[in-house]
Amino acid sequence: QVHGIVRRSSSFNTGRIEHLYKNPQAHIEGNMKLHYGDLTDSTCLVKIINEVKPTEIYNLGAQSHVKISFDLAEYTADVDGVGTLRLLDAIKTCGLINSVKFYQASTSELFGKVQEIPQKETTPFYPRSPYGAAKLYAYWIVVNFREAYNLFAVNGILFNHESPRRGANFVTRKISRSVAKIHLGQLDCFSLGNLDAKRDWGHARDYVEAMWLMLQTDEPEDFVIATGEVHSVREFVEKSFKHIGKTIVWEGKNENEVGRCKETGKIHVTVNHKYYRPTEVDFLQGDCTKARQKLNWKPRVTFDELVREMVDADVELMRNNPNA
């Protein structure tokens, strides 16, 4: 049985799980249930946890957009930081400390201004955004509950993980959607921020398996989950266009840089400073040696396969629904 918490909204906000309802092999009727709730409402969390009495809790709820966290700093702290505390307190209030295993979605943004390369479990944290700072509180409150109450609680320090269901305002999905629209003649050009930001990108499918594996161990420990490979935003753009038969050639510098199609001469990519963060995270690269050794986990989907899957999915989506 899987229970989920969904925020009340005037419009439907379950788009990323609709495929589960449509696939009878994904769940047996009644074995997946959604509850209205919110990480800012401790009463509803206590009520839901007391009713469901779960054996595993995965806290994936967050205001998770780094750039937007600068505009919604207080809200981000409330949901991402104190929200985690509310969940942990709800477990304690319901008397489930000894029966629940708790997974906290930590983030590579904890490392921010990196203190060593690559980053592993012992690397010092240096968050560079309200999002990273809020997640830092969440990380340490999880450790505190583990040590204070002997709760089986773990932090999964996951580096960037993507898929076709990534939110449309995240850079990878923005690229794949825009490239798909250009391929279908629905768009000519789109804008990005820092093209030279480098990230360790993996596939969400692999990383969710790692989350589950962390809760199947005998002792609770924190793990870095990453591919160990680093690619720039620029490279993500190039490979996405290459998949639809276009070669991007870069011209100009900084905010005046553009990406031009070698085959047609058309400019498809521009740079806009509004997409830059006030404090930039330039380079993230994870070392998942501990996860390989203790969880027997390793990433299966390559960077190239990830890019192709995202572009193909968006081409299909935009072809059937150009206004999506």
Side-chain angles (χ1 to χ4, degrees):
Q1 286 191 348
V2 176
H3 293 258
I5 296 179
V6 60
R7 282 169 293 166
R8 165 73 180 94
S9 172
S10 297
S11 55
F12 290 112
N13 57 358
T14 54
R16 282 187 276 185
I17 57 172
E18 290 300 326
H19 64 290
L20 295 176
Y21 289 107
K22 295 170 185 173
N23 179 6
Q25 292 179 315
H27 69 104
I28 300 169
E29 189 64 37
N31 275 6
M32 186 172 75
K33 185 176 180 182
L34 297 181
H35 306 259
Y36 281 118
D38 199 290
L39 284 170
T40 62
D41 185 342
S42 55
T43 303
C44 81
L45 297 178
V46 170
K47 181 178 166 218
I48 294 167
I49 289 174
N50 191 52
E51 176 190 333
V52 173
K53 291 186 169 52
T55 52
E56 296 180 353
I57 294 178
Y58 295 83
N59 179 25
L60 313 182
Q63 188 303 101
S64 60
H65 197 289
V66 177
K67 173 70 165 65
I68 292 172
S69 77
F70 286 94
D71 300 317
L72 298 176
E74 182 183 339
Y75 175 75
T76 301
D78 193 16
V79 173
D80 301 13
V82 184
T84 304
L85 172 62
R86 292 188 186 102
L87 262 180
L88 292 166
D89 259 338
I91 292 170
K92 186 163 166 279
T93 299
C94 295
L96 299 176
I97 285 283
N98 296 321
S99 58
V100 166
K101 291 186 173 184
F102 181 86
Y103 172 86
Q104 168 61 18
S106 282
T107 168
S108 57
E109 290 288 331
L110 292 175
F111 298 119
K113 189 176 180 180
V114 298
Q115 303 299 293
E116 68 175 344
I117 297 173
Q119 296 88 57
K120 51 184 181 288
E121 290 81 6
T122 55
T123 302
F125 298 133
Y126 196 141
R128 296 267 282 174
S129 64
Y131 168 75
K135 283 287 193 175
L136 184 61
Y137 174 84
Y139 173 92
W140 283 115
I141 202 66
V142 166
V143 172
N144 184 247
F145 266 68
R146 182 168 69 211
E147 295 178 352
Y149 306 112
N150 206 30
L151 172 67
F152 192 111
V154 303
N155 285 290
I157 307 173
L158 272 55
F159 280 64
N160 294 59
H161 42 291
E162 315 294 326
S163 87
R165 283 190 282 276
R166 179 59 124 162
N169 63 345
F170 288 81
V171 67
T172 50
R173 187 75 194 291
K174 182 178 181 179
I175 293 168
S176 64
R177 278 168 59 96
S178 300
V179 168
K181 286 189 171 189
I182 288 170
H183 179 60
L184 296 171
Q186 299 168 1
L187 184 72
D188 289 325
C189 185
F190 64 99
S191 298
L192 295 171
N194 182 8
L195 294 170
D196 294 314
K198 293 182 173 64
R199 293 292 183 271
D200 185 327
W201 275 303
H203 198 295
R205 188 189 307 122
D206 289 339
Y207 286 44
V208 170
E209 181 192 21
M211 296 179 194
W212 179 78
L213 285 170
M214 287 180 215
L215 294 195
Q216 312 315 310
T217 58
D218 294 330
E219 296 293 329
E221 293 184 73
D222 304 324
F223 289 91
V224 161
I225 301 298
T227 69
E229 289 185 17
V230 176
H231 302 274
S232 65
V233 173
R234 186 187 301 276
E235 189 178 347
F236 203 105
V237 171
E238 292 168 354
K239 286 187 179 292
S240 297
F241 273 107
K242 184 179 180 183
H243 187 53
I244 62 163
K246 290 180 179 286
T247 306
I248 292 296
V249 178
W250 302 100
E251 301 172 359
K253 287 187 177 181
N254 301 324
E255 289 178 46
N256 296 317
E257 188 169 11
V258 298
R260 189 185 298 276
C261 176
K262 183 179 178 182
E263 288 78 16
T264 65
K266 288 184 179 179
I267 292 175
H268 290 316
V269 186
T270 60
V271 174
N272 191 324
H273 197 265
K274 77 176 184 179
Y275 296 120
Y276 279 71
R277 304 171 183 176
T279 43
E280 192 64 52
V281 174
D282 297 313
F283 184 97
L284 292 173
Q285 180 182 19
D287 178 354
C288 66
T289 301
K290 181 180 175 182
R292 286 177 184 271
Q293 293 174 347
K294 294 199 170 186
L295 303 178
N296 197 27
W297 177 87
K298 64 180 180 181
R300 296 189 181 96
V301 183
T302 67
F303 178 71
D304 285 10
E305 289 169 341
L306 169 66
V307 173
R308 290 197 296 270
E309 182 183 333
M310 290 183 69
V311 172
D312 285 342
D314 275 327
V315 167
E316 190 67 21
L317 175 67
M318 297 305 160
R319 181 179 283 128
N320 297 326
N321 186 3
N323 297 318

